Amino acid sequence: MITLALSKGRIFDETLPLLAAAGIEVLEDPETSRKLILPTNQADVRVVLVRATDVPTYVEYGGADLGVTGFDTLLEHGSSGLYQPLDLHIARCRMSVAVRANFDYAHAVRQGARLKVATKYVAIAREFFAAKGVHVDLIKLYGSMELAPLTGLADAIVDLVSTGNTLRANDLVEVERIMDISSRLVVNQAALKLKREPIRRIIDAFSLASVTQ
Ligand code: AMP
């Protein structure tokens, strides 16, 4: 049995064409089914639905043989125990710094002020500001980061930006792009050895299909 860990939403939706290229069709829709283990048209391949931030954990400890996860999640989780053969070029977005439209970010950074930064991505933010030599107080949040500068909780946020609509709707502006983000295929190291053939077939099919994304 080959188990693939996916999270619902954009990653699931954008992985479906890659699965199709490998001849794999998921037989239930996660938006309507309450099942957490979804069968496929191949009796020996199944999909498990987990939270996006749990995908690396499932794959690292063998709860799943493979998974698809954002590069942001991999950087936060640490990925030393995972084989990462492919950038799938899906769920593309960027990690950025954003502030209130009337906040003078450049001035604050130039002055060497201590910046209060709210984010779910503490490791990425810490490394980014450390490399710039900017002193920050990091405030860990689990959701709705956009609210932090609007309520005075923080001066800035570090968050994923795709269209920029969420920032605009909340009068925030993007002031720095930290990095481009896309989703990666991750593979359990032991599974790669023990289930080499079927896993190779999936990697090869994903590889061919993802270059056309
Ligand atoms: P947007 O309004 O299109 O710029 O999207 C921004 C919102 O969607 C933010 O709340 C982000 O955290 C979230 N978001 C955007 N792209 C992704 C992605 N690839 N993976 C997870 N969350 C994302």
Side-chain angles (χ1 to χ4, degrees):
M1 177 63 76
I2 298 289
T3 302
L4 172 70
L6 295 177
S7 51
K8 275 206 245 184
R10 200 169 159 189
I11 287 183
F12 183 89
D13 296 344
E14 296 187 23
T15 301
L16 285 184
L18 304 177
L19 285 170
I24 300 165
E25 189 191 331
V26 183
L27 298 179
E28 292 201 40
D29 177 357
E31 298 305 329
T32 53
S33 169
R34 285 176 174 268
K35 283 192 186 169
L36 297 174
I37 300 181
L38 306 180
T40 72
N41 62 332
Q42 300 197 8
D44 57 348
V45 180
R46 63 182 184 172
V47 168
V48 292
L49 294 174
V50 302
R51 270 188 85 117
T53 45
D54 289 337
V55 168
T57 307
Y58 267 83
V59 175
E60 184 171 351
Y61 296 106
D65 301 305
L66 310 111
V68 176
T69 185
F71 189 50
D72 51 310
T73 306
L74 276 179
L75 289 177
E76 286 296 317
H77 175 269
S79 57
S80 54
L82 293 164
Y83 175 52
Q84 294 178 58
L86 288 179
D87 179 351
L88 300 172
H89 305 293
I90 61 170
R92 287 160 103 149
C93 56
R94 54 195 185 270
M95 184 72 70
S96 293
V97 182
V99 299
R100 266 191 342 266
N102 60 1
F103 180 80
D104 193 344
Y105 175 76
H107 183 257
V109 167
R110 220 175 24 247
Q111 292 299 302
R114 244 189 130 77
L115 212 60
K116 278 192 289 176
V117 178
T119 187
K120 193 164 118 183
Y121 306 98
V122 176
I124 294 171
R126 183 179 295 116
E127 191 173 329
F128 175 72
F129 287 109
K132 279 175 72 76
V134 175
H135 294 291
V136 289
D137 291 318
L138 290 171
I139 302 166
K140 167 92 184 181
L141 289 179
Y142 294 88
S144 298
M145 278 159 264
E146 300 82 11
L147 202 51
L150 306 179
T151 55
L153 179 68
D155 304 312
I157 59 171
V158 168
D159 195 8
L160 295 176
V161 180
S162 180
T163 60
N165 288 341
T166 306
L167 293 181
R168 269 190 295 280
N170 291 291
D171 291 323
L172 299 175
V173 290
E174 195 175 354
V175 284
E176 292 210 68
R177 178 190 276 234
I178 299 177
M179 64 178 80
D180 289 328
I181 298 284
S182 55
S183 288
R184 312 287 160 117
L185 182 67
V186 290
V187 183
N188 176 274
Q189 309 252 24
L192 186 64
K193 297 195 186 89
L194 297 171
K195 306 178 187 178
R196 187 161 194 92
E197 275 316 304
I199 288 180
R200 262 289 142 213
R201 243 180 289 128
I202 292 173
I203 294 174
D204 290 347
F206 275 30
S207 171
L208 270 176
S210 64
V211 290
T212 58
Q213 289 280 325

